[in-house]
Amino acid sequence: MNRLTGKMSSMDEVIRYIRETPEIASNITHWHTIPAREARYADFPPQMHAKLQDALRAKGIDRLYSHQALTFEHAMRGRHTVTVTPTASGKTLCYNLPVLQAILEDPGSRALYMFPTKALSQDQVMELQETIDRMDVDIKTHTYDGDTPPTVRQVIRNAGHIVVTNPDMLHSAILPHHTKWVKLFENLKYVVIDEVHAYRGVFGSHVANVIRRLKRICRFYGSRPQFLLASATIANPKEHAERLIGEEMVLIDQNGAPSGEKHIIFYNPPVVNQQLGIRRSSVLETQRLAALLLNQDIQTIVFARSRVRVEILLTYIRQAVKRSIGEESIRGYRGGYLPKQRREIERGLRSGEIKGVVSTNALELGIDIGQLQACIINGYPGTIASTWQQSGRAGRRQDVSVTIMVASSNPLDQYVVQHPEYFFGSTPEQALIHPDNLIILLDHVKCAAYELPFERGEKFGEERLEDLLEFLVEERVLHQTGDRWYWMAQSFPANNISLRSAAQENFVIIDMTNGHRVIGEVDRFSAPTLIHEEAIYIHEGTQYQVEKLDYDEKKAYVREVNVDYYTDANLAVELKVLHEDRSSGRDAVTKHLGEVTVNARPTIFKKIKLRTHENIGSGPIHLPEEELHTSSYWISFGDEVSGKFSANDMQFALLGLSNVLVHLAPLYLMCDPFDIRVVPQVKSIHTHQPTIFFYDRYPGGIGLSERLYELHDELLTQAAAHISCCSCLSGCPACVGPIEEVGLTGKELALKLAHEAVAAAAAAHEEQDDRLAPGRSGSRLPTYEWMDGDGE
Amino acid sequence: MNSLRDRLLRLTKSNDEQRPDRNATASDAAETEAEGGEWRQLEARICRTDGGAFVLRRRRYSLAGRHGRYSLGELNAINNRMNALASASDRPILGPEQLLFFDTETTGLGVGAGNVPFMIGCGYLDGHEFVVEQLFMRNPAEEYHALLHLGSLLKRFSHVVTYNGRSFDWPVLKNRFVLHRLDAPEEPSHLDFLYAARSLWSRQLASCKLSTVEQQKLGIFRGHDLPGSEAPDRYRQYLITRRARDMEEVFLHNERDIVTLAVLAVHFQHLLSGTLHKTPDIVPEDEVRVAGWLDKLNLHSLAQEVLHAALHQAGQLKREQLLEAAALCKKWHDYDRAARLWRAYCQRSAGTLHALEPLIELAMYYEHRRRDPEAALHWSLQARRLLERRMSLSRRQAQDRALLREIDHRLDRLRRKIDKPAQEMMHFH
């Protein structure tokens, strides 16, 4: 270290400093080092076109990474492929090579590229164009999105060899107008879909249906394209890709790219109040660590879970580095920033002009920002896959990089930070999609019928298509003649169907401080809690107060303010059971699966002081109620169990247990923690018993509750283990919730209830085992290695 | 009731009371020969082709009958002048028998693949008659055969005449050919009257809808007529009831549109051959507009002819029309006539806050064309006075100030020009 300036000369020195400074090192629960890895190469496959080989050599590439060569070979054999590789491993060549090869061999061939966002498409076209220019051939590549001018569109439809687009465009502009794209669909050889892991949940379920429609149109024009997919690491890439595409895939997952040494550090802020289990704020700890790195001139990305968190962190970090590198070299990045602003930030990161960026998972996707040196994750991102993705933002092929995960006090974070074996030992989560969600399926059956009449015997999804078609005939959307169903409504169905829930219904935020200026947007679901009147909305570190929310026009009018608090809104939720599909278990504890309606209404908001986070006031929110009709999984406790609790105790036990369960559930469902919600009821109207309800926060459900129903035993076992492992005395935010919420005996009661549930499940199993395999006995509770140890 | 349907009902929250009774829906299978009789009442018949059928209604109009201002017989006057309305790259029009008048009724809006033209109306001259031929599909399955029929009909004509057909009816039809995997007919040459109507009347009429144009410009009054926007609903109704008479008004509406298109062609032929302004019922202000339109179509001499005729009754022109006429004259380098019109405008507008442009134009005219700096000074001063008054009332200060500087600049120059000869005289002495 330079004694005068305090500057360290290398990353190694910074790592040593972290290791040797007790105030930091004492909070580190785990230090994982991934050694540098050599590249694995393969020669150019012999069948690769000479021009392609020359173009690669001109770029300084004279052999391929093993995974690139393998994908190429499988593609040449006519297989659908899915390539799983981490960031910066040259995955684009995996699909570009077969596509360019096909067009070189037959200039009539066409390819369609699909990226989840517009920004990614634009990056992609630039890179492809470079390779094409080097070959000096006439291959036309175009992006086709909302920004494409009408005059160019015509040209692309007829002459574009490679059309680069996004699922939304495919859904609303290309497929419904397929008759203008005859050339493309007749000659479609390859469909490339990148960032496949991003197509999960509701969005993924929609996209799977868009692909069903795409394949249907291709069949009509007599083409049968091959699908080339690329994904970040998830547990089930092959299965996920197969569900998404509806075809058998070949999985290529041996990464041949080299990487530099990588340090992954788990950091748990120190406990400041043992009794209440309160830890130092993860935000402040993140600020400290980020400042440490940034002050050493290390380009750093900070990820935060929510948009509000991003803004708060941005403000804090800017303050901390104001003197050293200047506020302007630290930027925020999240959904809701306008595209132009985002492009500018991406450029700044690539050029090194911007030293630090605080982002939501918006930067997790493959947007090209170059490779940074360090990554700090504020709060466990919710999934193993996502954590690796974020961590992949740091690390160049040669250099040492570091990722620090700073745990917050919520149970999921505490669980992960105290059980690193779980994180490093298990495969990442599965990407779940549910393309046959009835609402989603029905929407796309409509779109498909608009595109092409349905014929008897056709298949579209797993539900009985003819029942759906008949339903739409009744609704007078379709008309049946003989064995065909025709679109008959006046509307254009794709217009009313958005692939990204609420994406179409964004609220715009208008700053009135100086004239009227749109500064950002917020999706419909977040609006009631983020931009209700009097809310403090933070944008690029500046505070604004919402003065007026025009709910019908979807506009929020804000004015710049300077206050020392932020706001947090409460939501009142009411839940009713409509229909029970399945249930099992014994009298003591039963699990159920069915449909529910949920009514949610924001009630009050709290003003929370910055830094101390104390509650300094509150106010009402007057907004309409939202109704949601969805699928639900619930656990009810019979008299046998509830008899062991007083009514009052039962309430705390339920609350405590549901707090733990809802935080653990996302471990199994590769979903945002907000996608699955929980509601405990001491005496449910439906079961007349103490009950814990889980529901999917999407109309019709997206399969999350169904998966939890299957995982029932495992979920409860883990909950019990987690509560008993927690180091707090009687409940803390990291397990059953703070004492103020669950009472002094909350932890004990929740644990008791969890044990009852586990015992009931074990008994049920035993019974079943006895029936299935006489003579065998004993519990078949799932066990986990980490259950024995206690982390560090 | 199956459970899937129950779930759908719960999820889509459809109101059961509003749900149409399925039993009321006659199935296609129930279609009987008796239906043929129903169609005969509409003067239509079921046209059977190889493996298919659709409804065809053919009505013949005598060429002598009048439709508003014109008779269909005047279609015979259509000649190569009509080419002015087609693209330069199109084939030339040789005669009226090459035109196919054409209009569709569709199930929806836009030109997406799912928009179905359930009725295709065509009109053409056939010897001593004008024929309106309407193809109607009783269900979407009949479309294929209707399209085949249309395809062979199209081959007989070089041009299609439509109202917004270039960007709507034709692309929609083309989609249908592609969807049925039929070879789309060769792109015909278009005479899309919507463009001409817009450039002629968009400022004058409340809308350029065909129904407005026919009343205001062609003198056709339909009486009761189904609004075109209701046609899709009628068709959906028909698909449920399967009563031919539910379609009667749609047939009538579409047929009238075709006839109106033909009459509009007659009107345009008159405008393009300069035969219209001789009729007594056209007012001079229309003629100014027509002259401007002809000028845009590069029919300059005809445009001048029409304008000059209008200027014989300049007194009847509105003030704005005087300016339009003056602008045309200026464009044709007929500066004297333009100056007369600007002066007339200023005279008639005296005392009001009128347009500044004619005053400046006059100043320029006297300074540069007539080389009369004193007259130019007079008009420049007028312009300055008007502008000052306007500035005292208006907020567009920045623009006006720039204008004022320009005028002052001109005033300086003019004053120098006026003084200069005087100075020269002094030297002479």
Side-chain angles (χ1 to χ4, degrees):
Chain A
M1 196 193 296
N2 181 324
R3 281 170 192 253
L4 289 173
T5 60
K7 283 247 191 252
M8 294 175 235
S9 60
S10 71
M11 193 69 178
D12 289 322
E13 209 172 323
V14 173
I15 287 169
R16 205 175 319 129
Y17 178 82
I18 293 174
R19 218 189 272 279
E20 289 168 5
T21 308
E23 303 143 58
I24 303 176
S26 59
N27 299 325
I28 292 172
T29 61
H30 189 79
W31 190 306
H32 188 85
T33 306
I34 301 170
R37 208 185 39 183
E38 293 291 320
R40 269 196 312 245
Y41 294 106
D43 288 334
F44 288 148
Q47 71 264 50
M48 197 195 276
H49 200 283
K51 279 200 169 165
L52 205 46
Q53 299 199 11
D54 292 345
L56 289 175
R57 285 199 190 95
K59 200 185 175 184
I61 300 173
D62 40 24
R63 53 195 170 158
L64 298 178
Y65 292 135
S66 54
H67 60 284
Q68 294 169 335
L70 206 56
T71 309
F72 184 84
E73 280 157 18
H74 281 298
M76 289 303 109
R77 260 177 250 141
R79 306 291 304 270
H80 304 290
T81 64
V82 52
T83 311
V84 178
T85 54
T87 351
S89 57
K91 74 174 166 182
T92 51
L93 272 189
C94 291
Y95 48 73
N96 283 345
L97 293 179
V99 167
L100 292 173
Q101 171 94 5
I103 301 173
L104 286 170
E105 281 171 1
D106 171 12
S109 303
R110 296 285 185 269
L112 185 71
Y113 279 43
M114 193 165 87
F115 294 89
T117 66
K118 252 195 266 183
L120 289 170
S121 320
Q122 276 146 11
D123 277 0
Q124 202 38 233
V125 168
M126 277 193 292
E127 199 187 319
L128 249 174
Q129 200 58 55
E130 261 175 47
T131 315
I132 292 166
D133 291 346
R134 241 178 254 116
M135 292 195 291
D136 195 24
V137 288
D138 186 28
I139 296 177
K140 294 192 175 64
T141 308
H142 296 282
T143 41
Y144 193 84
D145 58 32
D147 301 339
T148 312
T151 42
V152 185
R153 292 188 176 203
Q154 179 103 29
V155 180
I156 301 175
R157 286 185 205 129
N158 294 323
H161 288 98
I162 301 174
V163 177
V164 182
T165 190
N166 53 58
D168 314 78
M169 236 11 220
L170 188 59
H171 156 70
S172 66
I174 299 179
L175 290 174
H177 293 104
H178 62 87
T179 49
K180 296 194 187 104
W181 294 86
V182 176
K183 268 254 163 11
L184 175 76
F185 288 118
E186 280 182 345
N187 302 294
L188 195 57
K189 181 85 175 66
Y190 285 112
V191 177
V192 169
I193 307 177
D194 200 349
E195 312 280 349
V196 165
H197 59 279
Y199 300 124
R200 57 176 194 262
V202 175
F203 183 39
S205 309
H206 272 294
V207 172
N209 278 289
V210 172
I211 289 165
R212 286 170 176 171
R213 282 160 55 197
L214 170 68
K215 284 166 65 182
R216 190 167 171 259
I217 295 298
C218 286
R219 272 200 299 279
F220 175 72
Y221 287 103
S223 62
R224 208 176 154 274
Q226 252 174 279
F227 286 84
L228 305 178
L229 274 52
S231 169
T233 312
I234 49 174
N236 58 341
K238 184 168 185 287
E239 180 216 19
H240 176 59
E242 287 177 348
R243 269 178 85 81
L244 193 69
I245 307 301
E247 303 277 351
E248 200 185 307
M249 313 287 298
V250 183
L251 174 68
I252 295 119
D253 59 357
Q254 297 98 17
N255 175 25
S259 60
E261 190 182 67
K262 210 172 162 82
H263 296 268
I264 297 173
I265 300 166
F266 277 14
Y267 185 97
N268 204 4
V271 175
V272 288
N273 181 324
Q274 182 75 35
Q275 180 91 41
L276 301 176
I278 293 173
R279 291 178 180 275
R280 275 256 288 281
S281 149
S282 69
V283 174
L284 296 176
E285 294 296 289
T286 303
Q287 176 205 21
R288 245 161 42 108
L289 292 165
L292 168 73
L293 293 165
L294 288 164
N295 283 333
Q296 301 306 326
D297 228 18
I298 291 171
Q299 213 186 6
T300 303
I301 183 165
V302 178
F303 283 103
R305 289 237 28 155
S306 69
R307 295 175 179 197
V308 179
R309 195 52 77 78
V310 163
E311 294 296 348
I312 292 175
L313 265 169
L314 180 62
T315 315
Y316 287 7
I317 295 175
R318 276 185 171 174
Q319 266 170 21
V321 300
K322 195 155 53 178
R323 296 247 172 76
S324 56
I325 57 171
E327 289 191 2
E328 278 315 296
S329 51
I330 313 292
R331 302 296 294 267
Y333 189 104
R334 59 174 170 86
Y337 281 16
L338 300 173
K340 213 177 119 208
Q341 203 175 358
R342 292 215 218 178
R343 298 299 91 77
E344 180 209 319
I345 297 169
E346 289 156 18
R347 263 197 312 277
L349 282 166
R350 281 196 296 266
S351 69
E353 215 168 283
I354 296 178
K355 280 279 165 256
V357 63
V358 186
S359 172
T360 57
N361 58 4
L363 270 182
E364 193 179 305
L365 287 174
I367 295 168
D368 181 15
I369 53 167
Q371 287 301 110
L372 311 182
Q373 292 162 280
C375 167
I376 301 181
I377 303 174
N378 174 254
Y380 180 59
T383 66
I384 295 177
S386 193
T387 311
W388 284 113
Q389 274 278 97
Q390 297 187 354
S391 160
R393 280 302 189 183
R396 296 169 180 164
R397 280 182 194 166
Q398 311 303 334
D399 303 341
V400 178
S401 70
V402 63
T403 295
I404 308 175
M405 206 270 285
V406 180
S408 79
S409 58
N410 91 45
L412 186 55
D413 282 40
Q414 286 304 313
Y415 180 84
V416 172
V417 81
Q418 291 174 34
H419 301 99
E421 310 81 2
Y422 164 77
F423 180 81
F424 292 101
S426 19
T427 54
E429 300 76 4
Q430 303 189 348
L432 288 180
I433 53 171
H434 187 41
D436 294 310
N437 164 295
L438 262 190
I439 291 186
I440 295 176
L441 182 64
L442 192 69
D443 276 349
H444 290 277
V445 167
K446 284 186 199 170
C447 292
Y450 181 89
E451 286 150 12
L452 209 60
F454 273 105
E455 284 178 36
R456 196 179 295 284
E458 230 181 295
K459 234 179 110 60
F460 194 94
E462 296 303 315
E463 296 286 355
R464 280 169 46 87
L465 178 62
E466 276 177 33
D467 288 353
L468 289 168
L469 295 173
E470 237 166 67
F471 176 77
L472 290 173
V473 169
E474 274 180 50
E475 296 278 306
R476 301 200 180 167
V477 171
L478 300 186
H479 176 77
Q480 184 187 0
T481 298
D483 283 347
R484 282 178 173 229
W485 285 264
Y486 296 86
W487 178 255
M488 209 30 73
Q490 195 161 2
S491 60
F492 178 74
N495 265 359
N496 303 325
I497 296 159
S498 167
L499 305 187
R500 306 171 201 247
S501 57
Q504 263 193 340
E505 292 191 278
N506 278 354
F507 281 65
V508 290
I509 295 161
I510 301 162
D511 174 22
M512 301 191 299
T513 318
N514 278 313
H516 282 49
R517 191 171 62 102
V518 174
I519 53 169
E521 49 194 2
V522 160
D523 65 80
R524 196 177 62 96
F525 283 124
S526 318
T529 47
L530 272 188
I531 49 166
H532 56 83
E533 283 171 15
E534 286 187 68
I536 299 296
Y537 175 78
I538 312 183
H539 187 90
E540 273 247 77
T542 308
Q543 297 171 319
Y544 299 87
Q545 183 168 42
V546 179
E547 296 202 336
K548 188 173 158 36
L549 176 63
D550 188 337
Y551 198 80
D552 299 325
E553 290 291 315
K554 310 221 176 319
K555 284 176 188 160
Y557 296 93
V558 303
R559 197 178 292 278
E560 211 176 306
V561 289
N562 191 359
V563 293
D564 63 347
Y565 66 89
Y566 63 94
T567 51
D568 185 24
N570 278 6
L571 214 58
V573 177
E574 213 178 285
L575 181 143
K576 280 190 294 262
V577 175
L578 289 175
H579 189 262
E580 190 172 315
D581 296 335
R582 255 185 278 168
S583 71
S584 88
R586 303 194 315 168
D587 297 343
V589 179
T590 45
K591 59 174 181 173
H592 314 255
L593 189 67
E595 281 170 42
V596 295
T597 47
V598 181
N599 293 75
R601 193 167 45 83
T603 50
I604 59 155
F605 67 91
K606 288 179 278 189
K607 295 179 180 171
I608 296 170
K609 200 170 158 87
L610 288 171
R611 288 172 211 281
T612 62
H613 298 186
E614 51 187 321
N615 189 343
I616 54 167
S618 65
I621 305 175
H622 302 287
L623 280 175
E625 186 176 85
E626 297 257 359
E627 193 175 270
L628 176 68
H629 191 115
T630 184
S631 54
S632 171
Y633 145 65
W634 61 94
I635 310 167
S636 57
F637 301 92
D639 297 343
E640 198 181 310
V641 174
S642 58
K644 298 177 186 165
F645 293 83
S646 76
N648 203 34
D649 284 354
M650 186 49 127
Q651 190 174 341
F652 288 128
L654 282 173
L655 194 59
L657 185 56
S658 20
N659 279 346
V660 177
L661 288 171
V662 77
H663 281 107
L664 290 181
L667 281 175
Y668 295 98
L669 316 163
M670 185 167 172
C671 73
D672 191 283
F674 290 102
D675 288 347
I676 188 97
R677 308 308 298 148
V678 69
V679 177
Q681 291 181 352
V682 176
K683 187 168 183 191
S684 143
I685 305 166
H686 182 71
T687 59
H688 303 291
Q689 289 173 342
T691 306
I692 298 174
F693 289 92
F694 293 83
Y695 66 88
D696 294 22
R697 214 186 69 170
Y698 183 78
I702 44 168
L704 302 179
S705 294
E706 208 172 325
R707 180 104 179 93
L708 286 180
Y709 179 84
E710 288 160 15
L711 290 167
H712 173 86
D713 298 354
E714 201 167 332
L715 197 63
L716 286 165
T717 313
Q718 290 231 13
H722 180 61
I723 300 172
S724 48
C725 285
C726 188
S727 61
C728 70
L729 291 175
S730 49
C732 73
C735 57
V736 295
I739 294 171
E740 298 93 318
E741 201 183 322
V742 296
L744 275 171
T745 51
K747 184 174 179 179
E748 187 191 315
L749 291 167
L751 187 61
K752 185 169 148 196
L753 188 61
H755 281 313
E756 290 288 346
V758 172
H765 266 292
E766 215 162 288
E767 225 170 60
Q768 207 176 21
D769 282 348
D770 288 345
R771 271 203 311 274
L772 291 173
R776 206 182 131 221
S777 67
S779 150
R780 274 184 61 232
L781 269 182
T783 52
Y784 298 90
E785 288 159 32
W786 50 261
M787 281 173 64
D788 310 322
D790 189 24
E792 303 243 337
Chain B
M1 278 202 187
N2 62 50
S3 74
L4 183 66
R5 183 164 175 274
D6 290 346
R7 278 167 65 207
L8 285 165
L9 285 174
R10 280 201 303 274
L11 285 170
T12 55
K13 271 199 256 167
S14 311
N15 189 343
D16 267 288
E17 289 159 31
Q18 284 180 359
R19 185 162 302 279
D21 185 359
R22 283 215 81 197
N23 301 329
T25 311
S27 76
D28 293 334
E31 259 168 47
T32 57
E33 282 304 308
E35 211 194 354
E38 243 193 307
W39 288 111
R40 264 197 295 285
Q41 285 172 8
L42 261 62
E43 296 178 53
R45 66 187 172 85
I46 295 170
C47 179
R48 297 196 188 281
T49 59
D50 272 353
F54 59 94
V55 171
L56 181 69
R57 163 153 122 157
R58 203 176 267 146
R59 307 213 352 166
R60 295 177 171 275
Y61 284 76
S62 134
L63 295 186
R66 282 193 79 79
H67 299 270
R69 295 170 58 169
Y70 305 103
S71 71
L72 287 170
E74 290 178 78
L75 279 172
N76 280 314
I78 287 177
N79 56 23
N80 58 6
R81 292 208 170 237
M82 198 59 109
N83 286 324
L85 298 188
S87 319
S89 56
D90 279 344
R91 284 163 289 190
I93 299 163
L94 299 172
E97 65 289 342
Q98 290 184 322
L99 305 182
L100 181 71
F101 298 90
F102 170 77
D103 186 36
T104 62
E105 305 299 328
T106 60
T107 54
L109 305 167
V111 288
N115 194 6
V116 182
F118 60 86
M119 184 182 287
I120 304 167
C122 303
Y124 52 87
L125 272 179
D126 183 20
H128 298 294
E129 287 171 319
F130 182 76
V131 178
V132 175
E133 199 172 303
Q134 291 168 295
L135 287 55
F136 172 74
M137 37 223 90
R138 289 170 297 170
N139 63 60
E142 295 191 338
E143 187 177 37
Y144 180 80
H145 304 282
L147 288 178
L148 285 180
H149 182 89
L150 178 70
S152 62
L153 191 63
L154 277 166
K155 288 202 186 98
R156 289 164 42 196
F157 302 92
S158 67
H159 287 68
V160 294
V161 185
T162 58
Y163 209 71
N164 198 25
R166 193 193 282 273
S167 51
F168 181 73
D169 303 64
W170 185 256
V172 166
L173 271 173
K174 225 167 68 182
N175 282 348
R176 308 315 299 172
F177 279 96
V178 174
L179 268 164
H180 288 280
R181 298 308 266 160
L182 289 166
D183 284 333
E186 199 189 328
E187 179 95 21
S189 300
H190 285 275
L191 281 178
D192 189 335
F193 285 165
L194 179 65
Y195 297 91
R198 278 206 187 125
S199 59
L200 267 172
W201 302 311
S202 65
R203 276 191 291 171
Q204 188 191 7
L205 300 180
S207 82
C208 279
K209 285 199 303 200
L210 193 58
S211 53
T212 316
V213 168
E214 70 176 12
Q215 274 190 23
Q216 303 288 321
K217 295 293 160 192
L218 306 177
I220 297 175
F221 295 90
R222 290 192 192 187
H224 175 75
D225 182 45
L226 181 80
S229 55
E230 284 178 27
D233 281 333
R234 287 294 170 96
Y235 185 54
R236 274 186 281 279
Q237 181 66 26
Y238 163 79
L239 286 175
I240 293 156
T241 64
R242 316 223 58 113
R243 286 189 306 246
R245 70 186 127 88
D246 284 345
M247 289 312 296
E248 188 171 0
E249 287 190 307
V250 181
F251 269 99
L252 196 60
H253 168 81
N254 178 260
E255 180 183 334
R256 284 163 157 176
D257 276 357
I258 301 284
V259 171
T260 293
L261 262 182
V263 177
L264 192 55
V266 171
H267 187 68
F268 284 137
Q269 174 66 30
H270 276 298
L271 289 178
L272 292 168
S273 36
T275 45
L276 189 69
H277 63 278
K278 294 179 185 83
T279 59
D281 55 338
I282 185 162
V283 284
E285 58 168 303
D286 275 355
E287 289 178 305
V288 175
R289 224 165 251 132
V290 169
W293 177 64
L294 291 169
D295 183 65
K296 264 200 283 181
L297 296 175
N298 291 323
L299 301 172
H300 302 299
S301 63
L302 182 59
Q304 286 174 22
E305 210 179 293
V306 171
L307 187 74
H308 294 166
L311 295 184
H312 283 311
Q313 307 162 49
Q316 288 182 32
L317 289 175
K318 290 188 181 150
R319 279 200 299 159
E320 290 71 28
Q321 233 80 51
L322 291 171
L323 291 186
E324 275 177 44
L328 278 171
C329 291
K330 182 186 171 191
K331 193 181 161 208
W332 299 329
H333 307 295
D334 186 354
Y335 301 107
D336 295 339
R337 208 185 296 264
R340 278 205 297 281
L341 288 163
W342 286 319
R343 272 204 309 271
Y345 172 87
C346 295
Q347 261 166 26
R348 268 215 252 155
S349 319
T352 65
L353 266 181
H354 59 82
L356 198 63
E357 168 213 340
L359 293 171
I360 292 172
E361 290 283 5
L362 281 168
M364 279 161 47
Y365 168 74
Y366 281 106
E367 184 183 353
H368 302 300
R369 305 281 156 209
R370 300 291 294 266
R371 309 212 180 269
D372 180 350
E374 290 188 26
L377 189 69
H378 166 76
W379 290 111
S380 296
L381 286 169
Q382 296 272 341
R384 196 176 199 283
R385 221 167 292 144
L386 182 67
L387 183 61
E388 275 171 351
R389 261 179 71 205
R390 193 165 86 184
M391 283 173 75
S392 68
L393 297 169
S394 121
R395 289 188 192 177
R396 289 177 313 172
Q397 299 280 356
Q399 278 178 24
D400 281 354
R401 262 199 295 277
L403 253 175
L404 192 67
R405 272 196 299 278
E406 245 172 67
I407 294 174
D408 284 343
H409 190 70
R410 182 183 302 279
L411 282 169
D412 281 350
R413 192 174 61 224
L414 287 168
R415 287 202 178 101
R416 275 201 308 275
K417 277 188 185 170
I418 294 168
D419 287 351
K420 211 172 172 187
Q423 280 172 0
E424 277 166 6
M425 292 285 275
M426 299 246 296
H427 281 290
F428 186 74
H429 284 288

